[in-house]
Amino acid sequence: MAKPQEKVSFGERLKQIGQVFSFTAKQDKWFVPLVIGAVAIPIALTVVATLNWGLLWIPVGILVTLLAVLIVLNLRSNTAMMNVAEGQPGAAASLMENMRGDWRVRPAASSTTQFDMVHVVIGRPGVILLAEGNPQRVKALLGQEKKRLSKVIGNAPLYDYVIGTEEGQLPVRKLRTTMLKLPRNLTGKDVNALDKRLGALMARPQMPKGAIPKNMRPSKGAFRQQRPR
């Protein structure tokens, strides 16, 4: 059974917001000016409303100001995180794991020693392959993964994307909106059944394609010990 999520205290929540605020301010030069505007405009309107209609508008103005700041923080922090994630290995899988909804993510289901990888995602649209790395090498990985998955996915739709900024590739910043636009081809029951079949298929880990690093190679003595006498 999954462990229940631990409750976050109010102080810890404020600390997290402060960290996001600091991170966004460093990455986005427009963030601080937008926050100033989000504070100044509601305060100005609150002052006008208070002078004309009384003090009851002060709490309303405070709430509107906080809401405006949080909206700016949410929008600009997402943009800043997308900018940082661009080009980072495993960014697509990480974003999918944190997306709302029923997405079953298997990061680096297929990979090479050069950090090329294909992530397998199962959701209501069907099976989605997200490839990251060198465009030429990941095409070969995608072909191998499609052939392997074809044995168990049946009639479930299969989508594949190469993550990147070149023509014909899917930028990380557009990954979420692209996934949400896909049609809902499967029911929740179909997703569970498909997840079990793929889980059985992928239970045996695959060795990365390419040369094995020297520090991972078994010693010559290990082979001699395995020989029958």
Side-chain angles (χ1 to χ4, degrees), residues 28-61:
D28 185 358
K29 65 179 181 179
W30 291 105
F31 175 64
V32 173
L34 288 172
V35 169
I36 293 174
V39 172
I41 294 175
I43 287 179
L45 295 175
T46 301
V47 171
V48 173
T50 302
L51 293 175
N52 288 276
W53 297 291
L55 299 177
L56 291 176
W57 284 93
I58 292 179
V60 175

Side-chain angles (χ1 to χ4, degrees), residues 130-143:
L130 302 175
E132 295 186 86
N134 180 276
Q136 297 302 321
R137 291 195 296 261
V138 296
K139 284 182 180 179
L141 278 182
L142 279 173

Side-chain angles (χ1 to χ4, degrees), residues 168-189:
Q169 298 179 349
L170 177 64
V172 168
R173 64 183 70 253
K174 294 184 178 180
L175 176 62
R176 181 178 179 276
T177 55
T178 301
M179 295 298 104
L180 295 177
K181 288 180 180 178
L182 293 176
R184 297 163 71 88
N185 300 306
L186 305 179
T187 65
K189 190 175 181 180

Side-chain angles (χ1 to χ4, degrees), residues 17-191:
I17 293 175
Q19 291 173 344
V20 174
F21 196 100
S22 176
F23 167 81
T24 308
K26 291 178 181 179
Q27 299 294 329
D28 185 358
K29 65 179 181 179
W30 291 105
F31 175 64
V32 173
L34 288 172
V35 169
I36 293 174
V39 172
I41 294 175
I43 287 179
L45 295 175
T46 301
V47 171
V48 173
T50 302
L51 293 175
N52 288 276
W53 297 291
L55 299 177
L56 291 176
W57 284 93
I58 292 179
V60 175
I62 293 174
L63 292 176
V64 171
T65 302
L66 291 175
L67 179 61
V69 171
L70 289 176
I71 290 174
V72 172
L73 177 61
N74 181 57
L75 294 176
R76 303 307 294 188
S77 63
N78 286 336
T79 301
M81 284 188 285
M82 292 299 103
N83 291 336
V84 173
E86 199 82 60
Q88 295 295 324
S94 178
L95 290 174
M96 290 300 304
E97 288 175 333
N98 289 284
M99 272 184 58
R100 291 184 179 180
D102 188 11
W103 302 98
R104 321 287 176 88
V105 184
R106 289 179 168 82
S110 181
S111 62
T112 71
T113 54
Q114 291 84 20
F115 296 103
D116 308 304
M117 59 192 76
V118 175
H119 315 296
V120 178
V121 181
I122 308 170
R124 296 292 293 275
V127 180
I128 305 162
L129 303 181
L130 302 175
E132 295 186 86
N134 180 276
Q136 297 302 321
R137 291 195 296 261
V138 296
K139 284 182 180 179
L141 278 182
L142 279 173
Q144 294 168 7
E145 200 62 26
K146 287 180 182 179
K147 185 177 180 180
R148 184 165 74 118
L149 296 182
S150 64
K151 303 174 183 178
V152 296
I153 65 174
N155 295 325
L158 178 63
Y159 303 88
D160 63 273
Y161 300 92
V162 176
I163 304 299
T165 57
E166 298 178 7
E167 185 178 355
Q169 298 179 349
L170 177 64
V172 168
R173 64 183 70 253
K174 294 184 178 180
L175 176 62
R176 181 178 179 276
T177 55
T178 301
M179 295 298 104
L180 295 177
K181 288 180 180 178
L182 293 176
R184 297 163 71 88
N185 300 306
L186 305 179
T187 65
K189 190 175 181 180
D190 294 333
V191 173

